Amino acid sequence: MKNLLLAIFVLSFINITAQEYRIKRGETTDSLPIPGDSDKTYSLYLPRDYSPEKQWATIFVFDPQGRGTNTANLFRMAAEEQQYIVASANLDLKSQPIDSIIKSATSMVNGILQSLPVDPELVYSAGMGEGAQVSSALAHIYKNMAGVMAIGNSFVNPAYIDKTSPYMFIGAAGKKDYMVYEIEKYLKFYDDLNFPTEVHYFDGKEDEWPEAIVVSNAMTGFTLQAIRDGLRPNDASFVQQLFEKEMEYAESLRRTRNYYAAYEKLERMEEKYEGFGFEDTIENKMKEIKTIRGFRSQRSDFRQAISFEKEQQREYEYLLESDIRSVNFENIGWWAYQIDELEKLKEGSDIAKSNMAHRLVGYLDFLTKREYNTIMEVKVPIDVKIFISVLRTAINKNAPEAYLNIISLAAADGDQDTALLYLEDLLKTGYSDMESLYNIEGALDLQFTPEYNRIVKKYLGESKFFKDQEIK
């Protein structure tokens, strides 16, 4: 026992850019410098039985907010069970230009390849949201990439795809994420190229990582493909363990009465484990689930929700374009009503409809934000800009840029009442950046008025101008 503990906690010494760092096996080490980018770092996880005597499969992970350690820990289960090194970037992808991000990501990959015993044929990347776009882009740069796991988003440039060197594409999306259909489009793109693909769904919404067991099940896709390609040994007992772990997840869905989700999971496993001798086991379990009372109704509910959702998406696109073109302020209330109704469905007991409502709210937010960003960048009449800004606040009550824009446009147009109304609405959302409230373009005269400062003081406890007694 003493020797076992010593083996688990033994220290590894790794030379990175001519410096030595103590890396504990079985633990995540944070803040390792990215070579050539010393102010940027990553987190590293080495499995407990890591040894420099052999080459290792390695996955590079990207989180939108740069939560390297937390994200690396999400991959620990898969790293231990399936023998992967995990390197997770501490890069805030939302606050940096894309060329800088790609440069840092590439430097991290090259640094690991040069300092650790990485198997060059077993290099993978994974990411969520903006991180999924980075991880997908890396496959265009590192030509030996074996696989990409894209959660909630992706990126592909067909011009840079080498059809003679296919890699595996694993797409994953939360059932409440409107991007689920975009992920399915990426999967079809790779399917059409005859690249190996796999899809995973989990109970989550946009900008959320799946739980560790879902990540582990997805990583199994990489591992099995490597076995098929002869890049990892075909160990029957090891594959059996992977299969049983995934079957346990399918069973957990069944036990929580997610019968249709369990059935779909088994359908995907049927293809995933083809050729490994588990066909009868999977088929029997699928037959068993189909006989459960409630399975057929869940399947029907799911199909109806999907059909209604796609119809609604088409209608929203048409009506939004029409309302923007006609600058129809009278229809703002209708859009707000749509959100209210969807919010009620989100809280309902019907899982299919609740997930659908989550996706539709996200889709409306995406549509209006896209139109908002486009309109703000072009020369159009002021009423068009005010309309799309007001619509944004109706769709997403926590979109500060739209409120600030209305204040700016209304003040510049001499409509102080509207500007003050949206100032108060903005502060009601909890917005507290006082400095920005006194740097709104076109609203300088308004910011000096007692009315403006009275509203700011009411919600923030202080204002920039006028003495307390003047704005009570």
Side-chain angles (χ1 to χ4, degrees):
M1 176 63 109
K2 183 177 180 181
N3 290 337
L4 175 61
L5 291 175
L6 181 62
I8 291 174
F9 293 105
V10 69
L11 296 178
S12 296
F13 290 88
I14 297 176
N15 185 278
I16 300 174
T17 62
Q19 298 182 60
E20 282 193 339
Y21 293 88
R22 304 178 83 194
I23 312 293
K24 280 190 176 182
R25 307 178 205 178
E27 293 184 16
T28 300
T29 304
D30 192 20
S31 301
L32 295 171
I34 293 177
D37 225 345
S38 58
D39 61 328
K40 297 181 175 64
T41 65
Y42 67 94
S43 298
L44 183 70
Y45 183 81
L46 301 180
R48 289 186 178 91
D49 57 354
Y50 168 82
S51 167
E53 304 304 316
K54 74 167 189 174
Q55 290 187 314
W56 289 77
T58 303
I59 186 162
F60 296 92
V61 188
F62 301 89
D63 172 73
Q65 299 177 45
R67 299 167 294 190
T69 297
N70 290 343
T71 309
N73 288 336
L74 193 61
F75 283 75
R76 285 180 65 164
M77 178 190 296
E80 287 295 342
E81 295 173 352
Q82 301 176 50
Q83 301 292 277
Y84 285 85
I85 292 172
V86 181
S88 183
N90 293 315
L91 300 173
D92 186 345
L93 308 180
K94 295 178 181 290
S95 63
Q96 299 181 50
I98 187 63
D99 56 342
S100 173
I101 293 168
I102 294 299
K103 178 179 178 293
S104 297
T106 304
S107 296
M108 182 180 78
V109 172
N110 290 335
I112 293 291
L113 292 176
Q114 293 168 14
S115 61
L116 290 174
V118 174
D119 188 328
E121 294 187 286
L122 296 177
V123 174
Y124 304 87
S125 62
M128 182 268 289
E130 291 89 348
Q133 293 181 312
V134 174
S135 66
S136 301
L138 277 180
H140 298 344
I141 299 169
Y142 183 73
K143 295 301 183 180
N144 290 329
M145 190 72 73
V148 172
M149 184 192 303
I151 300 169
N153 210 330
S154 189
F155 167 83
V156 66
N157 186 334
Y160 290 91
I161 294 288
D162 182 357
K163 298 178 183 179
T164 64
S165 183
Y167 53 85
M168 186 172 195
F169 179 81
I170 296 179
K175 295 176 184 177
K176 298 178 176 68
D177 187 355
Y178 72 94
M179 286 293 288
V180 66
Y181 301 116
E182 292 301 310
I183 288 295
E184 289 172 355
K185 288 178 183 177
Y186 283 110
L187 286 158
K188 185 179 185 307
F189 171 83
Y190 285 105
D191 280 335
D192 290 344
L193 294 178
N194 290 319
F195 281 34
T197 64
E198 189 174 304
V199 64
H200 290 263
Y201 302 100
F202 60 94
D203 187 20
K205 53 182 184 294
E206 63 264 27
D207 294 326
E208 283 187 357
W209 284 95
E211 57 185 333
I213 183 61
V214 176
V215 170
S216 181
N217 288 342
M219 292 284 286
T220 301
F222 290 148
T223 302
L224 293 177
Q225 188 61 42
I227 292 173
R228 287 192 175 94
D229 293 339
L231 301 175
R232 293 183 68 150
N234 189 354
D235 183 331
S237 63
F238 173 61
V239 175
Q240 177 76 32
Q241 290 173 12
L242 298 180
F243 174 73
E244 290 176 356
K245 188 91 174 182
E246 206 152 355
M247 282 294 286
E248 286 176 10
Y249 180 72
E251 178 63 13
S252 71
L253 293 173
R254 188 195 72 81
R255 287 180 178 273
T256 53
R257 300 182 181 179
N258 290 297
Y259 305 126
Y260 187 58
Y263 185 84
E264 283 195 310
K265 172 65 179 176
L266 290 166
E267 271 191 322
R268 295 191 293 273
M269 286 180 64
E270 198 170 27
E271 180 179 354
K272 180 176 186 174
Y273 286 90
E274 185 178 4
F276 288 103
F278 301 111
E279 293 83 359
D280 290 343
T281 302
I282 296 174
E283 189 65 31
N284 290 336
K285 181 60 69 172
M286 289 170 66
K287 288 179 180 178
E288 178 186 320
I289 290 177
K290 287 180 73 173
T291 64
I292 297 175
R293 183 180 178 182
F295 167 78
R296 294 182 185 277
S297 63
Q298 285 187 9
R299 181 175 62 184
S300 176
D301 289 345
F302 175 82
R303 290 175 177 174
Q304 287 178 15
I306 293 296
S307 177
F308 176 78
E309 178 180 4
K310 292 186 175 180
E311 182 181 333
Q312 282 297 101
Q313 285 187 348
R314 289 190 292 269
E315 182 179 7
Y316 287 151
E317 289 179 16
Y318 171 78
L319 293 176
L320 178 61
E321 181 182 347
S322 176
D323 283 352
I324 291 173
R325 190 169 53 248
S326 61
V327 194
N328 197 333
F329 281 92
E330 292 183 1
N331 280 345
I332 295 290
W334 183 86
W335 289 103
Y337 173 77
Q338 296 301 304
I339 293 295
D340 288 342
E341 291 301 298
L342 290 172
E343 290 294 340
K344 292 176 186 175
L345 277 179
K346 282 167 62 173
E347 302 303 320
S349 59
D350 188 317
I351 295 176
K353 288 182 179 178
S354 175
N355 289 342
M356 175 203 70
H358 275 279
R359 292 192 298 268
L360 281 175
V361 168
Y363 187 68
L364 277 174
D365 186 39
F366 162 74
L367 275 184
T368 55
K369 185 175 183 180
R370 183 185 66 187
E371 294 302 320
Y372 173 88
N373 290 339
T374 300
I375 290 172
M376 290 303 115
E377 293 297 322
V378 298
K379 188 175 181 179
V380 296
I382 189 172
D383 59 343
V384 177
K385 292 191 174 185
I386 291 178
F387 172 80
I388 192 61
S389 300
V390 173
L391 180 57
R392 276 293 293 150
T393 65
I395 299 299
N396 185 343
K397 293 180 173 59
N398 295 302
E401 70 282 355
Y403 291 93
L404 293 169
N405 192 53
I406 296 170
I407 296 168
S408 173
L409 293 169
D413 199 38
D415 186 356
Q416 291 196 356
D417 289 341
T418 297
L420 292 172
L421 173 66
Y422 277 88
L423 169 66
E424 185 154 20
D425 285 346
L426 171 60
L427 291 169
K428 285 178 180 177
T429 68
Y431 189 78
S432 60
D433 185 353
M434 183 184 294
E435 194 62 32
S436 69
L437 296 178
Y438 288 92
N439 284 285
I440 300 173
E441 185 179 353
L444 183 60
D445 290 343
L446 180 63
Q447 291 159 9
F448 278 104
T449 64
E451 292 82 6
Y452 192 94
N453 287 273
R454 186 179 295 114
I455 293 172
V456 173
K457 180 176 172 58
K458 176 181 176 182
Y459 290 92
L460 301 186
E462 59 179 331
S463 63
K464 193 168 183 179
F465 302 119
F466 293 95
K467 296 178 182 178
D468 288 349
Q469 61 268 25
E470 292 180 290
I471 59 172
K472 285 181 180 177

